[in-house]
Amino acid sequence: MTVDGRLARGERTRTAVLDAAVSLASANGLDGLSLGHLADSLGVSKSGLFAHWRSKEALQLATIDRAVAQWQELIIGPALRAPRGVRRIHALHEARIAFYATRVLPGGCFFATTEFEFKGRPGAVRDRLVAAFADWTALLERLVREAVELGELPAEVDVALLAYEIDSSGIAAAMRSRLFDPETTYRHARRGVLDRLRALCPDPHLLPEGPS
Amino acid sequence: MTVDGRLARGERTRTAVLDAAVSLASANGLDGLSLGHLADSLGVSKSGLFAHWRSKEALQLATIDRAVAQWQELIIGPALRAPRGVRRIHALHEARIAFYATRVLPGGCFFATTEFEFKGRPGAVRDRLVAAFADWTALLERLVREAVELGELPAEVDVALLAYEIDSSGIAAAMRSRLFDPETTYRHARRGVLDRLRALCPDPHLLPEGPS
DNA sequence: TAAATAAGACCGACCGGTCGTATTTATTTA
DNA sequence: TAAATAAATACGACCGGTCGGTCTTATTTA
């Protein structure tokens, strides 16, 4: 950013490149991302990319950061406008599934694809992905803990376990929606978490009966 | 197999190659599987592989079949020795998580890795993976249905949804166990499904209280 | 003997990455 | 204001390396 708020010269270009990289990597992974294809899809030359990032790994790291920003903007941000407690947990899960359903990313979920890809490959890319995943898990656990503190979930609830189960449903949705019927998959992912929250929440009016 | 039960000449070689391929692909995927590395890890030449499979895709398809056979032998087979009903469902899930924990496959789960890899790539490999996944889902749903018919699960249970939730837990375990602390991940995967089955099952003595 | 299997040299395609150069843009100077 | 300058950006050509795959030849086995 420059002082007057306009984007610096190459900033728009960089963002456009990273958006395309997130999209391609959501389908083929960060290692499966070909710089030649990426450049072609943008109508620029491959060597031009190296004016902005010194190596493929640097571009991969920037792509992860961009995906995190998108996730924050399109999923976490809107969900945090819901009231604290179980409704906020539900809103976050719904926003996630809805995002998958938009097909903005052809691969469904950038993080699921890339984290599976790099789970066994040590290095800076894996470290960055793990950090992003840890942040996401911490957010989920924080929302669950808040709901417990508000009395909207029983005090005996295993916070980390419930967060694991909610996230599991989303991970499976990212995968199964691209292999089987997407609508059925999304219905399972939404119904399962909603039923679980409703079963745990003493107040039956806080959450809708059916997936919204 | 020949008539006298001994392996045909190259059968042992082929099986050894496919076992190594399953192991490597569990970590790096079927596309990330390098025929050169595969051959080197077995002390054979790369071109020798083409005497057994006409192309990389043919070897990939055979690798999937081998992984299915391993899954049947090491997970499904033993689990089917448990009594019908919720105990069999539980045994299947436990066997799956236990298999991940053995670290027989460095990547954790061949199917999770490869299905994520090929979810957006049409072709024979994807079709075979989808078929294997569909079989697995059908098995899970059949076991759930049996438990309902035995009265060990309520008749109102959504069979496909419960199967989805159980499988989700396993998929997430395959991924998270290679990114975070494996023991915590396995505990969540086992505890979550066990609690869920116990909550649904009217007979509290059919399932153990804690993860076995 | 005949077929299956193995090996190694080799091929074209694609990969990430470098280099020299042309062009654009922002800043400074006349 | 206009010209000059310096920096950022973009490009095509090219490099070494790895990939899947082919070919010829040698060895093993029924």
Side-chain angles (χ1 to χ4, degrees):
Chain A
M1 291 282 230
T2 53
V3 284
D4 57 358
R6 291 186 303 111
L7 289 172
R9 181 127 86 93
E11 194 94 14
R12 269 167 300 217
T13 303
R14 270 189 285 274
T15 302
V17 171
L18 293 179
D19 280 340
V22 169
S23 180
L24 288 174
S26 77
N28 304 319
L30 277 170
D31 213 64
L33 175 67
S34 158
L35 298 187
H37 289 161
L38 175 61
D40 289 347
S41 79
L42 292 158
V44 300
S45 71
K46 183 180 63 167
S47 58
L49 297 177
F50 287 88
H52 297 277
W53 299 276
R54 72 169 64 126
S55 67
K56 182 180 187 180
E57 187 182 67
L59 191 144
Q60 289 172 324
L61 293 173
T63 302
I64 296 170
D65 292 341
R66 178 69 189 147
V68 168
Q70 284 182 3
W71 190 263
Q72 174 73 37
E73 180 186 341
L74 298 174
I75 295 172
I76 297 177
L80 290 186
R81 288 202 288 271
R84 271 182 218 277
V86 290
R87 284 170 293 181
R88 187 171 285 186
I89 301 172
H90 183 240
L92 186 62
H93 183 67
E94 284 284 323
R96 177 185 191 173
I97 303 301
F99 177 71
Y100 294 167
T102 61
R103 304 229 154 212
V104 167
L105 298 184
C109 183
F110 171 87
F111 296 103
T113 300
T114 57
E115 275 154 8
F116 251 103
E117 184 186 18
F118 277 86
K119 66 180 165 14
R121 306 186 197 177
V125 173
R126 193 194 111 112
D127 292 346
R128 187 81 57 112
L129 288 169
V130 169
F133 197 6
D135 287 347
W136 166 250
T137 298
L139 171 65
L140 270 174
E141 294 183 358
R142 184 160 56 79
L143 295 195
V144 171
R145 203 174 300 115
E146 282 177 5
V148 171
E149 287 163 2
L150 288 170
E152 294 183 9
L153 289 178
E156 314 86 58
V157 137
D158 185 330
V159 173
L161 176 55
L162 184 54
Y164 175 91
E165 293 185 281
I166 294 169
D167 187 47
S168 298
S169 183
I171 293 172
M175 174 168 151
R176 299 183 76 123
S177 68
R178 262 59 184 181
L179 294 170
F180 299 136
D181 174 54
E183 299 312 317
T184 303
T185 302
Y186 297 142
R187 186 165 51 79
H188 287 159
R190 302 169 78 190
R191 174 98 259 166
V193 168
L194 178 58
D195 286 357
R196 187 118 182 77
L197 291 176
R198 280 179 63 85
L200 289 169
C201 181
D203 184 348
H205 302 300
L206 278 180
L207 295 168
E209 290 194 6
S212 62
Chain B
M1 289 284 228
T2 54
V3 283
D4 58 357
R6 291 186 303 112
L7 291 171
R9 181 126 87 94
E11 193 97 11
R12 268 166 301 216
T13 303
R14 270 189 283 272
T15 302
V17 170
L18 293 180
D19 280 340
V22 169
S23 180
L24 288 174
S26 77
N28 304 319
L30 277 170
D31 213 64
L33 175 67
S34 157
L35 297 187
H37 290 161
L38 175 61
D40 288 348
S41 79
L42 291 157
V44 300
S45 71
K46 184 180 61 167
S47 58
L49 298 177
F50 287 88
H52 297 278
W53 299 276
R54 72 169 68 120
S55 66
K56 183 180 187 180
E57 188 181 66
L59 191 146
Q60 288 172 324
L61 293 173
T63 302
I64 297 170
D65 292 342
R66 179 68 189 147
V68 168
Q70 285 182 3
W71 191 263
Q72 174 72 38
E73 180 185 341
L74 297 174
I75 295 172
I76 297 177
L80 290 186
R81 289 202 288 272
R84 271 182 220 276
V86 290
R87 284 171 294 182
R88 186 171 285 186
I89 301 172
H90 183 240
L92 186 61
H93 184 66
E94 284 284 322
R96 176 186 192 173
I97 303 301
F99 177 71
Y100 293 167
T102 61
R103 303 229 154 213
V104 168
L105 297 184
C109 183
F110 172 86
F111 296 103
T113 300
T114 56
E115 276 154 7
F116 252 102
E117 185 186 17
F118 276 87
K119 66 181 166 11
R121 305 187 197 177
V125 173
R126 192 194 112 111
D127 292 346
R128 187 82 58 112
L129 287 170
V130 168
F133 198 5
D135 286 347
W136 167 251
T137 298
L139 170 65
L140 269 174
E141 293 183 358
R142 184 160 55 79
L143 295 195
V144 171
R145 203 173 300 115
E146 281 178 5
V148 171
E149 287 163 1
L150 288 170
E152 295 183 8
L153 289 177
E156 315 86 58
V157 138
D158 185 329
V159 172
L161 176 56
L162 184 55
Y164 174 91
E165 292 184 281
I166 294 170
D167 187 48
S168 298
S169 184
I171 293 172
M175 174 166 151
R176 299 183 75 123
S177 67
R178 261 60 183 182
L179 294 170
F180 299 137
D181 174 56
E183 298 313 317
T184 304
T185 301
Y186 297 142
R187 186 165 51 79
H188 287 159
R190 302 169 79 189
R191 176 97 258 168
V193 168
L194 178 57
D195 286 357
R196 188 116 182 79
L197 291 176
R198 279 179 63 86
L200 289 169
C201 180
D203 184 346
H205 302 299
L206 277 180
L207 294 168
E209 290 193 4
S212 61

